[in-house]
Amino acid sequence: MAPPSPTSSNDRCPICKSLRFFTQNLTMLIEPTCYHSMCASCVDRLFGGGPATCPYAGCTARLRANRFRQQTFGDIAVEREVDVRKRVHKVFNKRPSEFPSDREWDDYLETVEELVFALMSANKTEKLAAEDRLKAYEESNRPTISKNAERAAAEAAAFFAREEAAREERRQLRDAEVRALADERADAEDGRRRQLEAMARGDMDAVERIKAEVAARAAARREAAEREASRVRTLRVGRELVLADLMTGEGGEEEEEEGVWEPLGRGVVEENGLFGMLETGRYGKNAWIDDFVARADVSAGGYARDEWYERVVGEVFGGLTVFVGEEEAPMVAASPVLVEEV
């Protein structure tokens, strides 16, 4: 026989002996410390002034009024197991993608089940050992636990946002359809009235013209409804993409370490095998460059004497490896027509 539900008419408060049969508004509550049940009136009377010991005989648990809640499941053992699993999964919240193989993921799940079983065990020593094991794991994996908790919260928020967006899309489409139907009926009624008036005058050309106008407005309304539906769908897809990007950011991808900036590109160095520069201070005096570099507006930008010498030498020797004949030969072979025209 199935156990009675928490709201059945057989509920009876074990403290004040009140029956739901005589007290229709009787509300039974439990406290997750010891899972002993009592009515809301007893909770207010016994724990309204602060924490107190559980009134059950032999129970020494200290209970608080703000921790009492209604029982969800008919079996108190199921209620307790659900609470234990929620507590454990808040700490052991890794995902399959964090494991290199399915075997390691299965071992992780087995560890979670063993811990849940130990926390629900009647053996006090085994239960205390499981509590210590849970606290030790939480302390050693706190960053990972926090990151996964934030990711789960982001996924939940994204799910509810998608649901709300879908409901809003259906509402807007429904309202647009209702407005379009009302406009179509009003336009058809007006067109029918105008056609009857034109027939009464004997103007058949006006009747055909009115029919064409009504048909054109109906087609325009259908196109407008399709555009509105497309706009609503586009907005929904855009919101989903934004949420997906946010969830990807919450996924905790490691930031790439910023290296030294290389102006010519990664791995490209500015070296020249044709000439080399002397050490600083071995160049002769030059009145023009000395006066130029000594100017405050020039030196403030970082311009140095060595850079000027290097630029001048580069301009002098830069074309030594360029042979005009060899450079023109491939061009002549590739475009003979242009060469002949020239």
Side-chain angles (χ1 to χ4, degrees), residues 194-208:
R194 292 170 57 194
Q195 291 179 36
L196 291 176
E197 293 176 354
M199 290 179 183
R201 295 192 306 268
D203 191 354
M204 301 306 298
D205 294 336
V207 173
E208 297 299 329

Side-chain angles (χ1 to χ4, degrees), residues 268-306:
V268 180
V269 295
E270 187 178 8
E271 295 182 354
N272 196 311
L274 297 177
F275 60 88
M277 304 300 298
L278 298 176
E279 297 179 1
T280 304
R282 296 183 58 185
Y283 292 99
K285 298 292 183 180
N286 187 300
W288 182 87
I289 187 62
D290 292 342
D291 295 339
F292 181 76
V293 175
R295 288 168 46 183
D297 58 338
V298 174
S299 59
Y303 192 80
R305 184 194 313 271
D306 295 343

Side-chain angles (χ1 to χ4, degrees), residues 118-282:
L119 290 173
M120 295 184 60
S121 175
N123 190 333
K124 188 175 182 180
T125 303
E126 185 177 355
K127 184 176 181 180
L128 291 177
E131 291 283 355
D132 295 339
R133 184 179 177 186
L134 182 64
K135 292 179 181 178
Y137 181 87
E138 184 177 5
E139 290 296 332
S140 60
N141 296 272
R142 191 175 298 276
T144 304
I145 294 172
S146 300
K147 183 178 67 176
N148 288 338
E150 293 175 359
R151 183 179 180 183
E155 290 178 351
F159 172 77
F160 288 116
R162 285 194 297 268
E163 291 295 316
E164 181 63 26
R167 285 193 294 269
E168 181 65 18
E169 178 186 3
R170 291 192 295 268
R171 186 190 64 79
Q172 292 183 8
L173 293 177
R174 183 173 61 254
D175 293 345
E177 185 177 357
V178 170
R179 289 194 301 269
L181 183 59
D183 294 341
E184 183 176 359
R185 289 177 178 175
D187 194 17
E189 184 66 25
D190 180 69
R192 191 178 300 107
R193 179 183 57 80
R194 292 170 57 194
Q195 291 179 36
L196 291 176
E197 293 176 354
M199 290 179 183
R201 295 192 306 268
D203 191 354
M204 301 306 298
D205 294 336
V207 173
E208 297 299 329
R209 186 171 58 255
I210 294 172
K211 289 182 179 180
E213 292 176 358
V214 172
R217 284 195 294 270
R221 280 193 298 270
R222 286 193 296 270
E223 293 179 359
E226 293 177 358
R227 288 195 300 269
E228 178 66 17
S230 177
R231 184 187 68 83
V232 172
R233 285 192 295 268
T234 302
L235 290 176
R236 176 178 58 82
V237 173
R239 283 192 291 263
E240 290 181 355
L241 292 176
V242 171
L243 290 172
D245 292 340
L246 291 176
M247 289 178 59
T248 302
E250 292 290 342
E253 294 184 356
E254 298 294 334
E255 296 183 359
E256 183 179 358
E257 183 179 357
E258 184 178 358
V260 180
W261 180 70
E262 301 178 8
L264 300 180
R266 186 178 297 275
V268 180
V269 295
E270 187 178 8
E271 295 182 354
N272 196 311
L274 297 177
F275 60 88
M277 304 300 298
L278 298 176
E279 297 179 1
T280 304
R282 296 183 58 185

Side-chain angles (χ1 to χ4, degrees), residues 26-103:
L26 181 68
T27 303
M28 299 299 295
L29 303 176
I30 60 172
E31 214 273 11
T33 302
C34 59
Y35 291 92
H36 288 148
S37 62
M38 62 192 72
C39 67
S41 300
C42 291
V43 172
D44 295 337
R45 176 171 53 84
L46 297 174
F47 306 101
T53 305
C54 178
Y56 276 72
C59 183
T60 59
R62 298 285 292 181
L63 309 182
R64 297 176 179 272
N66 59 354
R67 296 195 60 188
F68 278 87
R69 58 179 172 83
Q70 290 188 354
Q71 184 176 339
T72 304
F73 301 95
D75 191 349
I76 197 66
V78 176
E79 189 86 18
R80 183 165 174 262
E81 181 180 355
V82 170
D83 291 342
V84 170
R85 288 188 178 277
K86 287 181 179 178
R87 180 188 171 194
V88 172
H89 284 298
K90 283 183 179 180
V91 178
F92 287 81
N93 58 357
K94 288 187 177 181
R95 299 163 178 261
S97 58
E98 300 180 44
F99 294 87
S101 64
D102 294 339
R103 178 58 184 271

